[in-house]
Amino acid sequence: MVRPDGKAIPTGRATDGTGPARSRERFLEGEPVEACVRTPISNSWQRCRALGLSPDDSGPPYRADFDGDARIVRAAVPVLDRLQSWFAGSKMNISVADANGTVLLRRFGEASLARSLPAFQRVPGFVFAEQYAGTNGIGLALAERQLIQVYGAEHFAERSQGNACRALPVRDPISGRIEGVLCLGYPRSAEDPALATVIRKAARAIERRLLGQSSERERALLRAYLDTGAEAATGPHHSVGVGELAFGLHPRDQEILMEKAAELISCAQRAAVRVLLSDGRRVTLVSRPMTSATGVEGFVTEAILSGPSPHEPLIVPQSATVPQSAEEGLRLPVDPAASVVPAALLSGAVPRAAAPGLVPGRADVPGTGEASAGGPGGTAGGHPGCPPPARGLVMVGEPHVGRYALAARRRLELLSDASTRIGTTLDVRRTAEELAETAVPRLADYVTIDLPEAVPRGEEAADPFTDLYRTVVHGIRDDCPFHPVGKRVDYGPTTPQLRCLTGGQAVLEPDLKTAAGWLAHDPEHTEELLTRVHSLIAVPLVARGVVLGVAAFYRGQDPAPFGDDDRSLAQELATRAALSIDNARRYTRERTMVLALQRSLLPHGLPDQDAVEVAHRYLPAESEVGGDWYDVIPLSGTRVGLLVGDVVGHGMLSAATMGRLRTAARSFAELDYPPDEVLTHLDNLVGRLDREDPDAGETGIIGATCLYAVYDPTTQQCVMARAGHPPPALVRPDGTVSFPDLPAGPPLGLGGLPFEAAEVHLPEGSELVLYTDGLFEDRDRDVDVVLDQLRGALAHPERTPEETCEAVLDTVAPAHPRDDIALLVARTHVLDPHRIAAWDLPADPSLVSEVRGSALRQLADWGVEEASFAAELVLSELVTNAIRHGSGPIRVRLLRDRTLICEVSDTSNTAPHLRRAATTDEGGRGLFLVAQLAQSWGTRYLPQGKVIWAECGLDGV
């Protein structure tokens, strides 16, 4: 290409079209080509096929009635003349089409092109919309609404295979609406990347001229307004600028007045509104029609200060172009709290009033003559003697300009609301619903949101383009025939939803009746939808590079189709919502991981024991999972330990700490430490963990509360101790509910303070209820009220522990718990006294044989003679050791439970230890023998002395 000055324009490498030509052949043969063809071209080919177009069509249709004097033509002519001069001598074909794809203007770099090209390439009036001409620059620019490049075989029609082009939509700077398309066509061999910059600059120049047209119309209206008030002006050289206010106001008051003025102009009718200023004054805004000398029609908005009182009618002046008559003003009743009052509500009449006066340049002085809005004599609101109100021009313009300004303000308000309404929770589905609720009805009439099945679970979708399920359907009505929530939706390759997912940008279909890809996807369903909706914006939900789904905004009740401003707004809403959805997804994933860890560290089942009947519940918090736990621990002598704890904080650290504490607590309990000593060991452990944690700092982040109770069914005594934990609830068989007054004890981790245990007698059938503070902690409820509710839920001794758990969670637990809840209900049983045998004897070795004999007779009475051999040897060894190494008196006890338990106690605190005796040792083999014969054995300490116990199996009993 050569510029007018003879300097060559550098060109890029020519494109031979081999690749696109082969892909086009494969496409026409029905093969998939998406991987080797640019997405806009592939989508356009798919739409052309859905429309039934043929590549061999002779040419696009012709319209003889095209508007050769359209706004876009007047704005584009000088720009195209400059482009023609720039590309003089080249084979450049420059054209401008309207918003429907009809070419309105053509210019050529070589004059000979106008004679050598076919008619559809040189004569205005041919329609290049995609649905008629197939894939081409003008049609694709309108479909994609962005800069488009098409070359060679990327054209759908055979006739265009040797050409290339670049096309760009031209927009009205005020409305944002596409006014037309600028297209540069050239031979395929003349492709040049610099053309993208050229066409952008040329399109911007046309848009500036479109803006100038609007500005000139507003200037004409302003001149008409000034001419109307010229007779009342005090001098011939005064003027008023658009937007100038009549008073010195606070900036916020000025902003409010300008917004109301734009709203009045957008109404396109005579109207008035009363505005309360920040200083208590009232300003009346009045709009009235204006017509310039050249016929430009618009509206002017004036501000009147210190006008009529709130309870008196407003006077709305007649249009400046209406002839004077006896009824020059209209009387309008106004509610002080009302906003815009339309002219349709105007009624009545007032005496003749002169045209409103205006002193340009003096904001606080009314015009000379009869400037009052109230009538002759300079009255205001019809009261003689009152000073005339101060007037001033606020805004002048055409109604559609006011509507655009009003729409822009409302879009900003919608974005502001979206920042507070979307993402209020960390729930994926709820966040998607908030996006739909924000958009309806202010942007769209209906919104559907489709997410992959994995996203609500907190995972990334393996195939987010096909694995989509309807998640949200929301609209102004509930009977719109969209796919229901939960249904899998499959989108075709040319549907706006899949196009936006593959392209990563919002796709606008202003008229669904001409959206080929949308119509062809599901003809029966789309036909039904067309009775309710007419315009669509599909927006991908993408955050941090992760595709989360697609949102579709539909318009049906509003007759105006979506525009590019709406598309930008939908894109912004979807982008904000996608970040919130991704945050919720990530939180869900982390919460699921923490919850899985938490549940894996909690008991998976209850141990077999007969001391208590137990039921339990664990309810995680709705937000972050905490570190609550519970445990049921069988202990020696048919006793059972009941444990409930709560780690401070939430998240993975709390869950991991809970697991460590539960394991340690179980180990300490199985060593038969009393409850207060178990808490002491746990306190030391928490303090050590806190010191060892590198992230703990000086404040410390690890702490816990705990309650540990040990119930003995042989004595019906329960020993309990707590470390900063809520006391348990005790339900006696008669239904009485109490909270035992246990020593509180400090929370675990403080160190240095002792723990105290308390002993409580539990009649058979009593219920001991242990819980964590999440059960009653709620900022909206009083603790005493919750405890009363707990009493009421527990005062039913006829319920089973399972039923008690359900009742407590249903009536006491908060509906949306902010903290975990662990609940443990244990109903006590008593070991039958006939299953207990005990003997007291002095420390005399000669009595060992008598003990063995008594034990064998007791086993025979119980019918468990098969355990006699093991029991006889175990008792002999344990009694002998107590006599030789302990101190009297000695007590022997046999307990028949699920196993046979042999216990020997004495008053000594020395404990035996299992060891391997050498071949030369005379002793040391007794405990080894006990360990081999018994299922388990051990030592537990008493306030005075110790108990050595061993459990023997009762197979077949």
Side-chain angles (χ1 to χ4, degrees):
M1 297 184 184
V2 181
R3 290 177 48 176
D5 58 5
K7 184 177 180 180
I9 300 176
T11 60
R13 179 181 178 183
T15 305
D16 59 11
T18 303
R22 174 59 184 150
S23 298
R24 182 172 172 276
E25 292 175 5
R26 290 173 52 200
F27 170 78
L28 295 176
E29 293 171 359
E31 299 181 22
V33 296
E34 289 79 2
C36 52
V37 178
R38 289 183 295 139
T39 299
I41 302 299
S42 174
N43 290 338
S44 180
W45 287 356
Q46 297 279 0
R47 293 194 295 272
C48 292
R49 180 159 62 186
L51 289 166
L53 299 180
S54 170
D56 301 320
D57 287 343
S58 59
Y62 178 78
R63 287 186 56 191
D65 60 343
F66 69 91
D67 186 3
D69 192 39
R71 291 183 66 224
I72 185 69
V73 172
R74 298 196 303 272
V77 165
V79 179
L80 263 63
D81 290 343
R82 289 197 297 272
L83 287 175
Q84 184 179 29
S85 174
W86 178 272
F87 290 113
S90 68
K91 295 185 179 297
M92 182 65 68
N93 186 341
I94 310 162
S95 60
V96 169
D98 63 15
N100 297 316
T102 303
V103 174
L104 305 178
L105 288 173
R106 284 202 182 272
R107 296 286 190 275
F108 304 97
E110 290 184 1
S112 60
L113 288 176
R115 298 185 297 273
S116 61
L117 293 175
F120 72 87
Q121 287 184 321
R122 59 182 172 83
V123 178
F126 286 91
V127 183
F128 282 85
E130 190 182 65
Q131 61 264 35
Y132 304 117
T135 306
N136 68 91
I138 293 175
L140 194 53
L142 288 173
E144 297 289 332
R145 312 180 78 83
Q146 60 182 340
L147 177 61
I148 287 297
Q149 175 192 13
V150 184
Y151 61 90
E154 290 184 334
H155 291 87
F156 187 76
E158 293 285 352
R159 62 180 179 270
S160 303
Q161 301 298 295
N163 300 326
C165 66
R166 291 180 185 262
L168 179 65
V170 177
R171 304 176 187 277
D172 185 326
I174 295 178
S175 68
R177 183 178 58 240
I178 292 179
E179 290 288 331
V181 177
L182 174 63
C183 182
L184 303 180
Y186 43 88
R188 191 177 61 192
S189 59
E191 171 61 34
D192 187 349
L195 290 176
T197 302
V198 174
I199 195 171
R200 284 195 178 97
K201 289 183 177 180
R204 284 198 294 269
I206 297 175
E207 290 172 350
R208 284 195 297 271
R209 292 183 57 81
L210 286 172
L211 179 62
Q213 292 179 11
S214 298
S215 300
E216 178 58 35
R217 296 174 69 89
E218 289 189 355
R219 286 193 291 270
L221 290 174
L222 178 60
R223 285 194 296 270
Y225 175 82
L226 296 178
D227 292 342
T228 302
E231 296 180 359
T234 58
H237 303 296
H238 295 86
S239 63
V240 175
V242 175
E244 179 179 347
L245 296 176
F247 331 99
L249 301 176
H250 187 276
R252 178 55 185 161
D253 290 336
Q254 295 181 23
E255 180 182 351
I256 294 175
L257 287 177
M258 295 297 288
E259 289 177 358
K260 290 297 183 181
E263 191 170 348
L264 284 175
I265 290 178
S266 69
C267 290
Q269 57 188 347
R270 197 174 319 202
V273 61
R274 181 171 282 123
V275 181
L276 180 64
L277 301 180
S278 59
D279 59 2
R281 291 185 297 170
R282 292 181 181 272
V283 172
T284 302
L285 293 179
V286 178
S287 68
R288 56 189 175 91
M290 296 288 300
T291 303
S292 73
T294 58
V296 178
E297 296 182 352
F299 275 76
V300 63
T301 301
E302 295 176 304
I304 306 173
L305 184 65
S306 301
S309 67
H311 303 289
E312 294 180 354
L314 291 177
I315 305 303
V316 184
Q318 290 276 26
S319 168
T321 59
V322 177
Q324 298 288 333
S325 65
E327 295 183 357
E328 180 142 7
L330 295 178
R331 186 176 297 276
L332 174 63
V334 173
D335 179 358
S339 60
V340 176
V341 181
L345 299 180
L346 298 177
S347 62
V350 296
R352 174 184 179 89
L358 177 68
V359 181
R362 296 188 62 187
D364 57 343
V365 181
T368 61
E370 296 177 352
S372 169
T379 62
H383 293 280
C386 295
R391 286 178 174 271
L393 174 66
V394 178
M395 185 176 292
V396 62
E398 296 178 88
H400 71 274
V401 177
R403 282 193 290 270
Y404 297 147
L406 188 61
R409 176 166 60 86
R410 288 174 177 170
R411 284 193 292 269
L412 290 175
E413 291 174 351
L414 179 58
L415 289 176
S416 177
D417 289 347
S419 64
T420 59
R421 293 184 60 181
I422 300 177
T424 60
T425 69
L426 288 171
D427 180 81
V428 172
R429 285 188 175 85
R430 180 57 196 150
T431 304
E433 291 171 355
E434 289 170 343
L435 168 60
E437 292 168 358
T438 302
V440 175
R442 299 164 70 180
L443 172 62
D445 296 325
Y446 300 95
V447 174
T448 64
I449 299 177
D450 306 318
L451 304 178
E453 191 176 22
V455 170
R457 299 197 306 263
E459 305 169 6
E460 292 186 17
D463 188 0
F465 302 133
T466 59
D467 182 31
L468 292 172
Y469 288 81
R470 181 58 44 86
T471 306
V472 174
V473 177
H474 183 68
I476 56 177
R477 296 176 58 179
D478 297 332
D479 57 350
C480 200
F482 293 105
H483 291 306
V485 172
K487 179 180 175 58
R488 183 185 178 112
V489 287
D490 296 313
Y491 293 115
T494 60
T495 55
Q497 287 86 347
L498 198 60
R499 286 164 54 199
C500 79
L501 285 174
T502 55
Q505 295 294 326
V507 172
L508 168 62
E509 291 288 0
D511 186 1
L512 287 176
K513 293 181 180 179
T514 62
W518 185 78
L519 292 170
H521 169 60
D522 188 357
E524 294 183 2
H525 189 235
T526 53
E527 186 69 24
E528 187 179 7
L529 278 176
L530 281 176
T531 63
R532 306 292 182 87
V533 297
H534 58 75
S535 190
L536 164 67
I537 301 174
V539 190
L541 298 173
V542 182
R544 303 180 180 95
V546 178
V547 178
L548 302 171
V550 60
F553 301 83
Y554 293 89
R555 184 168 285 176
Q557 182 171 332
D558 189 341
F562 284 123
D564 285 285
D565 287 339
D566 298 315
R567 180 179 64 168
S568 300
L569 179 59
Q571 179 80 62
E572 179 65 23
L573 287 176
T575 299
R576 298 187 182 193
L579 287 173
S580 297
I581 291 174
D582 191 50
N583 289 338
R585 180 190 66 83
R586 290 168 174 251
Y587 164 77
T588 301
R589 180 186 60 188
E590 294 180 2
R591 184 177 187 274
T592 301
M593 294 172 56
V594 174
L595 190 57
L597 173 63
Q598 174 98 348
R599 293 192 182 279
S600 69
L601 296 175
L602 290 172
H604 295 284
L606 296 178
D608 294 332
Q609 49 82 34
D610 295 325
V612 291
E613 178 186 355
V614 179
H616 59 87
R617 293 290 187 275
Y618 170 72
L619 187 64
E622 282 195 351
S623 55
E624 294 183 278
V625 178
D628 293 16
W629 87 92
Y630 61 89
D631 210 346
V632 179
I633 309 168
L635 302 175
S636 63
T638 69
R639 299 172 306 138
V640 64
L642 305 174
L643 187 67
V644 168
D646 183 3
V647 175
V648 174
H650 299 84
M652 189 70 74
L653 176 61
S654 296
T657 303
M658 178 275 291
R660 299 168 78 174
L661 291 183
R662 175 179 173 255
T663 301
R666 190 177 186 92
S667 299
F668 296 145
E670 289 179 342
L671 290 175
D672 273 325
Y673 289 134
D676 53 335
E677 290 192 28
V678 169
L679 295 183
T680 299
H681 288 294
L682 288 177
D683 181 59
N684 294 333
L685 174 62
V686 172
R688 184 165 62 253
L689 294 176
D690 200 23
R691 291 190 298 271
E692 292 174 354
D693 194 321
D695 299 326
E698 296 180 358
T699 59
I701 60 171
I702 298 178
T705 64
C706 186
L707 171 63
Y708 181 42
V710 176
Y711 172 68
D712 188 344
T714 64
T715 63
Q716 303 180 47
Q717 295 298 114
C718 183
V719 181
M720 296 179 282
R722 62 186 179 121
H725 201 84
L730 175 59
V731 184
R732 298 191 180 273
D734 60 359
T736 303
V737 180
S738 63
F739 297 90
D741 186 15
L742 304 181
L748 300 177
L750 294 182
L753 298 175
F755 298 95
E756 299 181 52
E759 189 170 2
V760 179
H761 179 76
L762 301 182
E764 183 176 9
S766 300
E767 278 188 346
L768 192 63
V769 182
L770 286 69
Y771 50 87
T772 56
D773 56 8
L775 182 64
F776 56 83
E777 280 194 353
D778 191 333
R779 67 185 65 177
D780 300 325
R781 301 190 300 171
D782 184 81
V783 174
D784 293 334
V785 174
V786 177
L787 291 178
D788 289 339
Q789 293 176 345
L790 181 58
R791 283 191 179 92
L794 296 178
H796 296 276
E798 73 282 359
R799 290 174 177 167
T800 65
E802 286 288 341
E803 293 171 343
T804 300
C805 284
E806 291 296 331
V808 169
L809 292 184
D810 290 342
T811 61
V812 181
H816 304 283
R818 296 184 176 91
D819 196 6
D820 294 15
I821 298 174
L823 179 64
L824 191 65
V825 178
R827 172 163 291 169
T828 62
H829 297 302
V830 176
L831 186 62
D832 189 346
H834 295 94
R835 290 174 171 262
I836 304 173
W839 302 273
D840 294 318
L841 63 154
D844 185 354
S846 64
L847 300 177
V848 174
S849 60
E850 295 182 11
V851 172
R852 287 200 304 265
S854 299
L856 292 176
R857 288 190 295 272
Q858 184 63 61
L859 295 179
D861 292 341
W862 286 340
V864 291
E865 292 89 345
E866 66 277 6
S868 300
F869 177 74
E872 183 179 11
L873 292 177
V874 168
L875 282 175
S876 296
E877 180 59 32
L878 295 183
V879 173
T880 302
N881 280 345
I883 293 173
R884 294 181 58 183
H885 306 291
S887 59
I890 297 172
R891 182 176 177 83
V892 178
R893 189 169 71 159
L894 292 181
L895 304 175
R896 182 194 171 190
D897 193 40
R898 294 174 180 268
T899 60
L900 179 64
I901 303 172
C902 304
E903 295 183 344
V904 177
S905 60
D906 62 72
T907 58
S908 171
N909 288 325
T910 59
H913 298 283
L914 182 66
R915 66 185 181 89
R916 185 176 295 277
T919 55
T920 57
D921 291 343
E922 294 184 359
R925 298 176 179 84
L927 285 180
F928 182 80
L929 181 63
V930 170
Q932 297 299 311
L933 293 173
Q935 292 181 349
S936 60
W937 73 279
T939 303
R940 72 172 179 269
Y941 291 92
L942 305 173
Q944 298 293 328
K946 65 178 182 300
V947 176
I948 311 296
W949 58 269
E951 292 187 6
C952 301
L954 294 176
D955 295 337
V957 179

